[in-house]
Amino acid sequence: MTALLTIIILVFILIAIWQMVKIFDLAQAKNENSQIATDKDNTLNGYLMMGFLAFIYIITIVCVVKWGDLPLLSNSASAHGPTIDNLMAISLVIIFLVQIITQFLLHYFAFKYKGEKGRTALFFADNNKLEAIWTIIPVIVLAGLIIYGLNTWINIMGVDESDDPIVVELYAQQFNWKARYAGADNTLGKANVRLIDIDKANILGLDEADPNAQDDIITTELHLPVGKPVLFKMRSQDVLHSAYMPHFRAQMNCVPGMITQFGFTPTVTTEEMRQTPEIIEKVQNINNIRVEKSEALIAKGEDALERYEFDYLLLCNKICGTSHYNMQMKIIVETQEEYDAWIKEQKEFKNSLIN
């Protein structure tokens, strides 16, 4: 009933506005209202264009000074990360320069060649030289970026199997991640969502008869040894997800019904990244905010917020449902010795089943 009354009120408001507009139009009908811009109008608009140009440049400078740190162009933790950062930096510089030049020309020409009584506009029906210039230059620039980008992508995706990378499956489902290590044989066992058996704790649908599946290890935390290549095989149980590891400059879609892959070599341990000035400052800022919020919570009789500690994260970068925002898994990059000690503590698939 409340919804119906709200709709009726809104309809009456719209009708009232419509009637007021009609009355206003009738009142203005007898007044002279020329639609032709005068020299005064054109001069005003010309100066407004230059003012807006100044506004654009001022806002750009403020943004660069205040937020131009761009931490995700400086703290990559994978072997291919600096190449990605370099490609991004080149793209940003080109975009920035083109934006400065084109916006200046657009607004300055609108001011310089504003309409004036008695002046006839000079124009060219066509100009082959100009058209060649503004066609060839963008083609060369874009071709360079595309070729560089493709070469970078090919180098990243061309995982060299002779380097004996660690094979890890990333299994996505609403709204969590599981990691499956290939075990001592470094070969993942066969799996299918139709084989999932919750009663037997076969949560990823591994083929229990497959010998390669027996030593697989399923975890809810991703541990990686520093300096060792890792090849990720990705599956999705339900909808389209995207495995995104920002500090490793890695992202790949997880598609139901097929296996995708991505590989990289971690170069910075979690502890080393925690000691970098950028991360120390970030952690301190977050904890200062949490302390302020905790004071208000404690005053209400609620528990204080826990202190934040930096960790690498695996995130979902596709909107996959209501809890998409919280779909993440911690990644720990550690020394080979620490990784070996951790992997020995994990249960193999054959020992994790409930009979």
Side-chain angles (χ1 to χ4, degrees):
M1 188 63 182
T2 304
L4 178 61
L5 288 173
T6 303
I7 293 171
I8 292 172
I9 291 170
L10 288 173
V11 170
F12 281 135
I13 290 174
L14 290 173
I15 293 173
I17 293 173
W18 175 52
Q19 292 294 335
M20 289 174 65
V21 170
K22 286 180 66 177
I23 293 171
F24 179 78
D25 288 341
L26 289 172
Q28 296 294 319
K30 294 182 179 180
N31 296 335
E32 185 178 347
N33 185 17
S34 175
Q35 298 296 319
I36 301 174
T38 64
D39 286 354
K40 183 179 178 181
D41 295 330
N42 291 329
T43 301
L44 174 62
N45 283 312
Y47 280 112
L48 286 175
M49 290 293 280
M50 294 304 293
F52 188 67
L53 176 64
F55 171 76
I56 291 174
Y57 285 163
I58 291 169
I59 288 295
T60 302
I61 293 169
V62 169
C63 290
V64 170
V65 171
K66 194 168 183 179
W67 298 291
D69 186 23
L70 298 177
L72 282 181
L73 288 181
S74 61
N75 60 2
S76 63
S78 63
H80 72 261
T83 307
I84 294 287
D85 292 351
N86 189 48
L87 179 61
M88 181 64 75
I90 291 172
S91 300
L92 288 174
V93 168
I94 292 174
I95 292 170
F96 189 71
L97 292 175
V98 170
Q99 186 262 353
I100 289 176
I101 296 170
T102 55
Q103 291 300 319
F104 173 78
L105 292 175
L106 173 67
H107 290 80
Y108 177 70
F109 276 34
F111 168 76
K112 181 174 176 60
Y113 298 107
K114 58 185 177 289
E116 292 180 0
K117 200 168 186 179
R119 184 166 75 174
T120 304
L122 174 66
F123 68 93
F124 299 95
D126 62 82
N127 189 312
N128 294 335
K129 183 183 289 186
L130 280 177
E131 291 178 7
I133 290 172
W134 67 50
T135 301
I136 292 172
I137 292 177
V139 166
I140 293 173
V141 174
L142 289 175
L145 285 175
I146 292 170
I147 292 170
Y148 182 28
L150 283 174
N151 185 57
T152 301
W153 178 251
I154 290 168
N155 290 336
I156 293 171
M157 296 303 293
V159 178
D160 191 351
E161 300 285 350
S162 64
D163 291 337
D164 191 28
I166 298 172
V167 180
V168 181
E169 179 184 74
L170 296 178
Y171 186 82
Q173 63 183 123
Q174 296 173 311
F175 297 96
N176 63 75
W177 295 94
K178 298 288 190 301
R180 176 163 65 111
Y181 291 81
D185 60 4
N186 206 30
T187 303
L188 290 168
K190 296 177 183 178
N192 193 304
V193 291
R194 295 181 178 85
L195 299 177
I196 292 175
D197 189 341
I198 301 300
D199 294 334
K200 296 184 67 176
N202 187 358
I203 56 176
L204 301 190
L206 273 65
D207 185 349
E208 298 175 28
D210 184 5
N212 291 325
Q214 304 307 308
D215 63 348
D216 288 359
I217 296 170
I218 301 171
T219 68
T220 56
E221 199 172 72
L222 187 58
H223 284 243
L224 304 173
V226 68
K228 178 74 174 176
V230 184
L231 177 60
F232 293 99
K233 304 284 186 176
M234 304 174 190
R235 281 196 300 148
S236 172
Q237 176 176 308
D238 34 50
V239 298
L240 183 66
H241 299 277
S242 187
Y244 177 46
M245 294 168 270
H247 286 90
F248 303 103
R249 308 298 190 263
Q251 177 170 322
M252 181 59 66
N253 287 345
C254 306
V255 185
M258 67 180 293
I259 296 173
T260 54
Q261 70 175 39
F262 197 102
F264 63 81
T265 302
T267 56
V268 183
T269 67
T270 300
E271 286 300 324
E272 289 171 343
M273 185 61 78
R274 286 173 179 170
Q275 300 308 313
T276 60
E278 297 89 349
I279 297 300
I280 291 174
E281 182 181 1
K282 172 186 174 181
V283 170
Q284 185 177 358
N285 290 338
I286 292 174
N287 282 325
N288 288 340
I289 294 171
R290 291 195 173 193
V291 168
E292 293 178 6
K293 291 186 177 293
S294 293
E295 291 174 356
L297 292 172
I298 292 171
K300 296 178 183 178
E302 300 178 17
D303 294 334
L305 297 172
E306 296 181 1
R307 287 187 62 80
Y308 168 75
E309 185 176 43
F310 170 82
D311 278 303
Y312 295 124
L313 290 174
L314 164 62
L315 307 169
C316 178
N317 207 25
K318 283 284 186 294
I319 299 177
C320 56
T322 54
S323 295
H324 155 77
Y325 69 95
N326 202 33
M327 184 174 167
Q328 56 184 260
M329 180 166 66
K330 184 162 72 172
I331 304 173
I332 298 173
V333 180
E334 54 200 355
T335 64
Q336 185 67 51
E337 293 75 18
E338 291 170 329
Y339 171 78
D340 292 339
W342 174 82
I343 205 75
K344 286 179 181 178
E345 296 174 356
Q346 309 308 308
K347 278 186 178 181
E348 294 181 343
F349 173 66
K350 62 184 177 184
N351 298 324
S352 66
L353 292 173
I354 300 174
N355 296 319

